[in-house]
Amino acid sequence: TLDAKLRSGLRAELVEIQRHLAITALLVTHDQVEAMSFGDRIAVMRSGRVVQVGAPLELYRHPTDVFVASFLGSPAMNLVAGTVAPAGRDVVVGFGSHELVVVEEVATRWPTFATRRPVVVGFRPEELALAPDGEIVVELTAAEHVGSHHLVTATLDAPGAVQAGERVEIDPLPRSTISASFEHHGAPDLWRPVRLTLDAGALHLFDPVDGHNLAIEGCVA
């Protein structure tokens, strides 16, 4: 077993060797960091079936379902139970006690929503930022200083969601733990409510039954 520094160095050397020899190599791994580092293309499998194939950043930015969204990324994408509803030409995405208005120009990547419906809402930790007037209120419970930024865990008043086989499971508890990545501007204020802002354009919406990404699925809701 290699330590973290040697493992990182070996990854870089293997990538260089593969590119120098100009050969096609196939790597099977459970480590998403290795997959993102080595692969020009990644095939993500679940239960013996390929669920998405593409370039690393394509899968990271446009996961086909809840499973891929939670697999790629460290920390993983935050996934919570929520709702989406039409609001004129815009849509409103809600989770817990929070609502975000997504303007028409951004919402066009999703299907047309005729009525309010349940969804799984996903957002990456790096899309959250501390802001005095932020629309999301959380309680920070832990912070890890990793150089230029903090990796933070927080409690949000919305149930979490996970992929379980071919279906999505919603946590029965009304609160969940989410992750955030903040630039280092002093120590975070733990165990007190803080406000966060979230770019609505960075939201992902997934079907709450089978977990498919609604933007990729392209169905009429």
Side-chain angles (χ1 to χ4, degrees):
T1 302
L2 302 178
D3 63 29
K5 185 175 181 180
L6 284 175
R7 193 178 182 88
S8 177
L10 181 60
R11 281 201 301 265
E13 289 186 19
L14 290 175
V15 168
E16 181 63 25
I17 290 171
Q18 187 268 334
R19 290 179 178 171
H20 177 73
L21 295 177
I23 59 174
T24 299
L26 179 65
L27 172 70
V28 180
T29 179
H30 294 283
D31 187 331
Q32 59 93 13
V33 175
E34 288 186 350
M36 296 284 286
S37 300
F38 283 121
D40 296 312
R41 289 176 64 80
I42 297 175
V44 179
M45 299 183 69
R46 184 183 73 242
S47 302
R49 181 172 60 88
V50 175
V51 293
Q52 188 172 8
V53 179
L57 283 180
E58 178 187 349
L59 270 63
Y60 184 81
R61 293 171 177 165
H62 308 288
T64 192
D65 62 13
V66 167
F67 177 79
V68 178
S70 60
F71 180 69
L72 295 178
S74 182
M77 181 183 290
N78 299 301
L79 297 160
V80 297
T83 60
V84 61
R89 294 182 178 273
D90 306 330
V91 299
V92 175
V93 176
F95 48 92
S97 59
H98 315 289
E99 288 191 337
L100 302 176
V101 176
V102 183
V103 297
E104 179 187 14
E105 292 77 8
V106 177
T108 52
R109 68 185 189 276
W110 297 320
T112 301
F113 300 104
T115 60
R116 180 181 296 272
R117 60 160 287 181
V119 292
V120 172
V121 182
F123 48 93
R124 294 285 181 189
E126 62 268 23
E127 303 295 346
L128 293 163
L130 290 167
D133 58 348
E135 60 272 29
I136 301 172
V137 180
V138 299
E139 185 177 81
L140 302 185
T141 57
E144 180 183 1
H145 184 203
V146 286
S148 62
H149 62 285
H150 290 285
L151 293 180
V152 175
T153 57
T155 301
L156 179 71
D157 64 343
V162 296
Q163 187 96 28
E166 298 300 316
R167 301 181 67 82
V168 171
E169 287 187 358
I170 305 298
D171 197 310
L173 297 177
R175 305 180 71 82
S176 60
T177 298
I178 64 170
S179 301
S181 178
F182 301 146
E183 291 186 1
H184 178 55
H185 296 303
D189 198 0
L190 300 182
W191 301 108
R192 296 182 61 183
V194 298
R195 288 187 172 272
L196 307 178
T197 185
L198 172 61
D199 180 6
L203 291 175
H204 296 264
L205 300 184
F206 302 92
D207 188 279
V209 177
D210 60 21
H212 283 100
N213 190 326
L214 295 181
I216 294 176
E217 188 178 16
C219 64
V220 176

